[in-house]
Amino acid sequence: MAVKALAQIEGTTMRLATKTRHRLRLTALGLVLLLAVALLTPAVSAHAKLLRSEPKGNSTVPQAPTLVELWFSEELETRFNTIEVKDQQGKRVDRGEVSLSEENKKAQVALDGLGAGTYTVVWKVLSMDEHTLRGTFSFTVAQSVAPAGTEASPANATDTAGAAQALPHESPMDSMPSAKSEEGYEISPGHSAVRWLSYLAMMTLFGGFAFYLLVLAPALRQVSSATGTDDLRVTGARRIVILSWVGLILLAVMSFVALAFQASGVFDKSLSEALSPSLLGQVITDTGYGGHWLLEILSVVVLAVILFILSSRLKQAPAKGHKAIWWAGLLASAVLLIAPSWTGHAVAAVKDYRLAVVTDWLHLLAGGFWVGGLFHLALTLPSVVAGFDKARRISLLHEVIKRFTRIAMPAVA
C-alpha cells in the first residue's frame, strides 16, 4: 500500500513539474516577444510639438524676413491652422493664408514689408492626432526690408554683411522658441472627464458581452446539475443587458459632448458657442476627427439595436441562450473600440509604425475585457451566486474566477 501511495505521489509530482516547466516556457516566450516589440517600436511623442521656427523666438534678425516658418514633430491637418504676426501696435502684418509643406509638418505664412521693430507671432495648429496646439513668441527686426526693385546702398550692404557675420551660425536647434514662449497643448478638466467616461462606457459594453460569453455562461454550464441554473443564467444576462444600456446611453451623451469640446478647441469658441450646427458640421466633414466620431455613433446605433433585440428575446424566450445575438454584440463593441484608435497618437504614428492603430486597438480590447470584466464581475456575479447553496456557490465562484483569470492575465500583460 505504502509503495503504491508513494508511486501515486511521485506521479502527481512529476505531472505538476511538467506543467510548471510548460508554463515557465510560455511565460519566457511571452516576455521575449514583448521585449522584441518594445525594442522594435520607435519612440513617438505624446503630442505634436513645435521643433523650431524661423525667425527663432526672442531673436534679433539683421533684415526683415518675408516668411514666418514653423516646423512640427507631427503632421498637421490641412485646415484650421493660423499664424498671426503683429507689430508693436497690435496691427497684423501677415498675409493671412497659412500653407503647409514637408509632409505637412511645416507651416508658413507670408509677410508684408516689415520695418525695424519687435513683432509677435501667435500661432495655432490642428495636428493629425486631432489635438489643438498653440503658442506665441516674438522676434526683433534690426533693419527694414528694402523696397521691391531697389538695391541696398553699399553702406547698408556693408552693415548688413557685418551684422550677418556677427551672428553665429544657427543650427536647427538654435531656432527653437524659448521654453517660456510655447504654451503647448492643454486639456480642460471637463474634457478629461468626458474622455474618461467615454472609455469607461466602451469598456463596460465590450466587457459585458465578453464576460457573459467567455466566463459566466460556460461557468454556469459547468455546474448545470444544480436546479434553477437556467433561471440564474437569465438573471445574470438581464443584469448585464441593463448595465450595457446604461453604458450605451452614457457613451451616446459623451460622444456629443466630446464633439462640442473638439469644435470649441478648433474654432477658439466657448463650449456654448461651439454647439452651433455649422461649426459641429465642419469638424465632422473637414477634419479627421469626423471619421472617428461617425464610426462611434454608428456603433452606438448598432449596439442599441442588438441590446433591444436581446432584451426582447430574454423576455419572450428566456430559456434559450441567444448566443448568436451575444456574439453580434461582442463584435459590434469590438468595432466600437476602433473609433478611439482611429484618432489620437496612433494615427500620428502610423507613418513610422504601420501597426500603431492595430496595437492601440488590441490595447483597448485587452483593457475592455480586464476593466469591463471586473465591472461585471463585481455588479453581476453577486446576483447570480445568491441563488445557489453554499457548496454550489463555491463551485461556481471557482469556475468563474478560473475562467476570468485565464483571459485577464494575458489581457493585463
Side-chain angles (χ1 to χ4, degrees):
M1 271 308 273
V3 174
K4 185 177 181 181
L6 186 61
Q8 289 178 344
I9 293 173
E10 184 178 356
T12 303
T13 304
M14 291 180 64
R15 285 195 297 271
L16 289 174
T18 302
K19 288 183 178 179
T20 301
R21 286 196 298 270
H22 181 63
R23 289 175 181 175
L24 287 174
R25 290 194 192 100
L26 289 177
T27 302
L29 178 61
L31 290 174
V32 170
L33 292 174
L34 187 64
L35 180 61
V37 171
L39 293 175
L40 291 173
T41 304
V44 180
S45 60
H47 298 287
K49 294 181 180 179
L50 178 61
L51 298 177
R52 61 189 180 98
S53 68
E54 289 294 345
K56 72 174 184 177
N58 302 325
S59 65
T60 299
V61 294
Q63 278 194 316
T66 58
L67 295 171
V68 167
E69 301 169 292
L70 308 176
W71 284 264
F72 293 90
S73 60
E74 293 181 8
E75 186 178 347
L76 305 179
E77 287 273 11
T78 55
R79 296 186 59 187
F80 309 113
N81 305 304
T82 60
I83 302 176
E84 296 182 1
V85 185
K86 301 178 181 180
D87 62 17
Q88 291 173 290
Q89 289 71 43
K91 178 184 176 183
R92 288 187 62 172
V93 293
D94 61 90
R95 297 185 181 177
E97 185 176 353
V98 176
S99 59
L100 301 180
S101 59
E102 299 183 15
E103 297 183 338
N104 289 348
K105 291 184 178 181
K106 173 186 172 184
Q108 65 182 36
V109 66
L111 303 175
D112 294 325
L114 305 186
T118 299
Y119 296 86
T120 302
V121 179
V122 181
W123 55 269
K124 178 177 75 75
V125 296
L126 180 62
S127 64
M128 284 297 291
D129 61 12
E130 304 308 323
H131 294 138
T132 301
L133 188 72
R134 64 187 77 236
T136 180
F137 63 91
S138 61
F139 65 91
T140 301
V141 175
Q143 179 177 318
S144 304
V145 65
T150 63
E151 296 182 0
S153 65
N156 287 343
T158 303
D159 293 342
T160 302
Q165 291 175 0
L167 292 172
H169 176 70
E170 294 181 359
S171 67
M173 292 306 297
D174 292 330
S175 298
M176 271 289 295
S178 67
K180 293 182 180 179
S181 68
E182 187 177 347
E183 297 176 16
Y185 169 72
E186 295 180 358
I187 184 170
S188 67
H191 198 181
S192 294
V194 168
R195 293 174 63 181
W196 185 82
L197 290 172
S198 296
Y199 277 110
L200 181 62
M202 291 181 188
M203 291 181 176
T204 300
L205 287 163
F206 180 80
F209 288 106
F211 181 76
Y212 179 82
L213 286 169
L214 305 177
V215 178
L216 184 59
L220 285 169
R221 283 196 298 270
Q222 190 69 26
V223 293
S224 59
S225 59
T227 57
T229 301
D230 286 342
D231 293 338
L232 293 175
R233 177 183 55 77
V234 173
T235 299
R238 285 175 176 168
R239 177 64 66 91
I240 290 175
V241 169
I242 291 172
L243 294 173
S244 297
W245 272 118
V246 173
L248 191 67
I249 293 171
L250 176 64
L251 178 60
V253 173
M254 292 301 103
S255 295
F256 282 97
V257 176
L259 179 63
F261 270 112
Q262 185 69 12
S264 175
V266 169
F267 295 104
D268 282 330
K269 302 288 186 181
S270 67
L271 196 58
S272 58
E273 291 174 326
L275 293 175
S276 164
S278 63
L279 298 184
L280 297 176
Q282 288 184 65
V283 172
I284 294 172
T285 58
D286 297 337
T287 71
Y289 186 88
H292 138 264
W293 189 84
L294 289 173
L295 176 60
E296 189 171 297
I297 294 300
L298 179 61
S299 299
V300 166
V301 172
V302 172
L303 281 166
V305 172
I306 291 172
L307 287 175
F308 178 79
I309 295 173
L310 195 54
S311 301
S312 300
R313 296 290 175 85
L314 286 173
K315 288 181 180 179
Q316 297 169 4
K320 294 184 179 180
H322 310 296
K323 187 179 289 187
I325 304 175
W326 283 98
W327 279 107
L330 182 65
L331 178 61
S333 57
V335 172
L336 169 65
L337 289 173
I338 297 175
S341 299
W342 195 353
T343 187
H345 309 311
V347 171
V350 78
K351 285 189 176 180
D352 297 317
Y353 180 41
R354 293 181 180 179
L355 297 178
V357 174
V358 175
T359 53
D360 192 76
W361 177 61
L362 292 175
H363 174 203
L364 291 175
L365 288 179
F369 182 85
W370 170 239
V371 178
L374 283 176
F375 183 81
H376 290 280
L377 190 69
L379 297 182
T380 299
L381 191 60
S383 63
V384 177
V385 299
F388 285 115
D389 56 35
K390 184 176 180 181
R392 291 292 179 184
R393 187 180 304 168
I394 292 173
S395 177
L396 178 61
L397 287 173
H398 171 74
E399 286 298 323
V400 167
I401 293 172
K402 179 178 68 175
R403 293 174 185 277
F404 184 79
T405 303
R406 283 176 179 174
I407 306 175
M409 289 182 68
V412 172

